[in-house]
Structure formats: structure tokens, C-alpha cells
Amino acid sequence: GIDNGGGKIVSLSAASHQVLNRRAIIDHKLLTALNRNDLQVVYQPQFDIKSDEVTLFEAFVRWNDDELGYVMPDELIPIAEENGLIHEIGAFVLEEAATLAADWNARKRPVKVAINSSAREFTNPSMKESVLDILEKTECPATYIQLEITEKFAFQAEEEKSISIQMKELQDEGVEFVLDDFGTGFASFRYMQHLPISKIKIDKLFIQSLLTQPKTQQLVDGMIQFGKSMSMYVVAEGVETKEQFDILKKMGVDAVQGYYIGAPVTAEDISI
Ligand code: C2E
Ligand code: CA
Ligand code: CA
Ligand code: CA
């Protein structure tokens, strides 16, 4: 129990004990899971409006553990950022995705892959080298790769310089950078000013209320026009219905992603 100062003892509820316990188990098991190759990657198609085809697949990490069940990224990534294993997860997902991209481009047709990078990964001074090493090892040209950075994570001013240098060097090699979750954080404009971003993704939060809230429609329209005025490629994520697709197309987005186009699936379940 916790002494709240007023003489009364307040106990942590059974539920919060369970959450703490699950967090501790994830923390404890993650390294072994990575070493045993227990993590998986699933891929979701992104549909390019102008060419009328799927031109990219976004990679998401998955972990299905016997004891824990599915550990989804929203639960896993914050823990990995804290215990440092985010770098290993990032390297694992990139290697899988780059292998796939190289194979698809060689045997099938031109297609890119996008990988979610925690901005925290770029605070590692050897991030650039690590990315280039993986691309070399998998024989994947850098131009097949996009890295999606979320604006949820705020950099320290001192960190920003080294982060932007590494990103610019990767961009020179051909890697493209995407600002993820656009509109949900406070740092969008700052990131667009200082980082080599060529593409923005409007968060699914806005897409979900697009047809029910008139204000959201104006907001999304404004985000699209803003992106275009900055010469960015604009993607809408979380598109689940034909109605949402049609209105976004009319508003001029460059690409859409979401269950309406296809849910994330394992590579074996994709035919391109
Ligand atoms: P995100 O990058 O914004 O990804 C979109 C999330 O929405 C994914 O959840 C995806 O499975 C889900 N989604 C896709 N289409 C739809 C739709 O039509 N409707 C709805 N309701 N959801 C849809 P997921 O896979 O659970 O990932 C959550 C977040 O975790 C991601 O958000 C991303 O920020 C992060 N994440 C996922 N995989 C990785 C990874 O390998 N590394 C890092 N650093 N972060 C990752
Ligand atoms: Ca492998
Ligand atoms: Ca993403
Ligand atoms: Ca999002």
C-alpha cells in the first residue's frame, strides 16, 4: 500500500498490479524473443491514386508469445525504447523488409517498403551506418526504403543536430523520410523545417471522423493543401470505407492506406 499522507493507506488495485507485472514480463522476455526469432513482420499495402496501384508496403512488428499472447506495438515499442532494445527491433524489421523489397523488385515489379523508426533510434550516432550495413547485407538499394518517423517523440535541442545530419546523409543515399501521425503532435512544423521529410501521413484519428464531423473535413482538406504547398507526397492512413476513399481522392491525397485497401498480413499472404 501507499501512504497518502492523510493517515489512510491506499492500495494499488489488482488491475494495476497486473499491468505492472505484464510490463515487467515483456521487458524480461523481449531479448530472448529477439534472439529466438519469435518476432514477426506484417505488411500493409499503400495505394497510389495517380498510378492506380499498390506502390508500397508498410512493415509493422508483431510478437505472439505463448504466455503473453499478442504484444502489439503500442505496448511493445515504449518498453523497447526504455530498455534500449528498440535498436534491435528496428534492425530486425529493416532486415526483413529490405530482404522482401529486394526480392520483389528482382522477381516481380517495382515496389517500396516503409519501416517505422522510433525517432529515439536516431539518437544513436551509428544509426546511419547500421541502416546502410543492413541494406548492403540484404542487397537492397536505398531507394526502395522509406523510414516513417513519428512526431510523438520530442528531441532535445542538442540531439536534433546529429539526428538531422544522419537523416540527410541517408537521404543522400536514396532513403526517403516520412512524417507519421501528422497533426497529432506539437512538433510537425518544427520537424518539417529541420528534417529532410518528403512525405506526410495524416493520422487515422482524423480519417475516422471525416464523414461525421464537418470540421474534420475542413481540417483534413487544410492538411492536404498544406502538404501540397510544401511539395510533399500526402498519404491518408486508416481508410476503412469507400466513402472515405472517395472524399480523400476528391480532396487530392496522393495515396491511401487502411483496411479498405488491405489489412497488414504476413509476406506469404501477399501476391504482387
Ligand atoms: P502507425 O505507424 O501510425 O500505424 C498504423 C496502425 O494502424 C497500425 O497499428 C496498423 O495495423 C493500424 N491500421 C492499419 N489500417 C487500419 C485501419 O484501416 N483502421 C484501423 N483502425 N487501424 C488500422 P499497429 O501495427 O498496432 O502499430 C501501432 C503503432 O506502433 C504504429 O502506428 C507505429 O507508430 C508503431 N509501430 C508499429 N510497428 C513498428 C515497428 O516495427 N517499429 C517501430 N518503431 N514502431 C512500430
Ligand atoms: Ca530472416
Ligand atoms: Ca507508420
Ligand atoms: Ca498513425
Side-chain angles (χ1 to χ4, degrees):
I2 294 165
D3 189 344
N4 70 359
K8 251 197 214 157
I9 301 297
V10 182
S11 290
L12 283 175
S13 69
S16 45
H17 271 302
Q18 244 164 42
V19 170
L20 287 175
N21 196 25
R22 183 173 162 89
R23 211 189 143 86
I25 297 170
I26 292 170
D27 186 19
H28 179 75
K29 283 187 128 180
L30 181 55
L31 181 60
T32 312
L34 273 160
N35 289 336
R36 291 200 332 203
N37 239 327
D38 275 357
L39 271 63
Q40 252 198 321
V41 183
V42 291
Y43 301 89
Q44 181 177 41
Q46 187 176 100
F47 182 82
D48 176 82
I49 305 268
K50 203 196 263 170
S51 66
D52 198 34
E53 62 182 4
V54 170
T55 49
L56 177 145
F57 286 84
E58 180 177 359
F60 299 110
V61 70
R62 292 287 180 268
W63 179 19
N64 189 4
D65 179 75
D66 298 340
E67 176 190 10
L68 296 160
Y70 270 102
V71 183
M72 294 298 277
D74 286 332
E75 190 177 22
L76 176 65
I77 300 298
I79 296 172
E81 282 181 345
E82 215 174 284
N83 69 15
L85 289 173
I86 191 67
H87 303 286
E88 280 71 18
I89 292 179
F92 164 73
V93 176
L94 178 61
E95 186 172 336
E96 294 286 315
T99 303
L100 196 62
D103 178 58
W104 278 344
N105 279 274
R107 293 191 305 111
K108 307 240 163 108
R109 65 175 175 88
V111 66
K112 300 190 181 204
V113 291
I115 293 98
N116 292 283
S117 313
S118 163
R120 163 126 358 250
E121 291 174 66
F122 278 92
T123 61
N124 177 354
S126 55
M127 173 67 174
K128 183 198 83 178
E129 280 314 312
S130 159
V131 169
L132 294 178
D133 285 351
I134 292 168
L135 296 182
E136 199 182 334
K137 178 178 167 190
T138 57
E139 295 178 48
C140 177
T143 50
Y144 298 171
I145 300 294
Q146 297 185 358
L147 295 180
E148 300 193 355
I149 312 278
T150 181
E151 59 169 25
K152 279 177 206 147
F153 176 79
F155 305 121
Q156 307 294 314
E158 324 78 81
E159 286 173 340
E160 192 173 280
K161 184 99 185 145
S162 107
I163 292 164
S164 74
I165 289 171
Q166 291 202 77
M167 284 174 66
K168 285 190 182 110
E169 287 173 355
L170 280 172
Q171 190 190 42
D172 287 343
E173 299 287 331
V175 174
E176 266 186 272
F177 288 94
V178 183
L179 186 57
D180 214 344
D181 305 321
F182 185 74
T184 62
F186 53 87
S188 312
F189 299 110
R190 185 167 177 77
Y191 278 26
M192 287 174 86
Q193 211 183 350
H194 295 285
L195 305 178
I197 309 280
S198 60
K199 180 167 168 178
I200 57 174
K201 287 183 94 170
I202 301 172
D203 192 70
K204 60 177 185 286
L205 188 79
F206 301 104
I207 308 308
Q208 272 151 9
S209 58
L210 191 58
L211 284 131
T212 50
Q213 285 183 9
K215 270 200 178 157
T216 307
Q217 226 170 94
Q218 282 176 280
L219 200 57
V220 170
D221 195 47
M223 288 193 265
I224 296 168
Q225 299 322 316
F226 170 73
K228 305 229 134 185
S229 76
M230 300 282 287
S231 310
M232 304 258 167
Y233 184 95
V234 182
V235 186
E237 70 168 27
V239 178
E240 296 181 356
T241 69
K242 181 178 191 305
E243 289 70 28
Q244 291 167 343
F245 178 86
D246 287 343
I247 192 170
L248 286 161
K249 186 175 171 179
K250 218 185 284 164
M251 285 175 170
V253 292
D254 295 298
V256 295
Q257 222 181 307
Y259 299 156
Y260 178 65
I261 305 297
V265 291
T266 57
E268 301 84 72
D269 291 327
I270 296 171
S271 55
I272 70 163

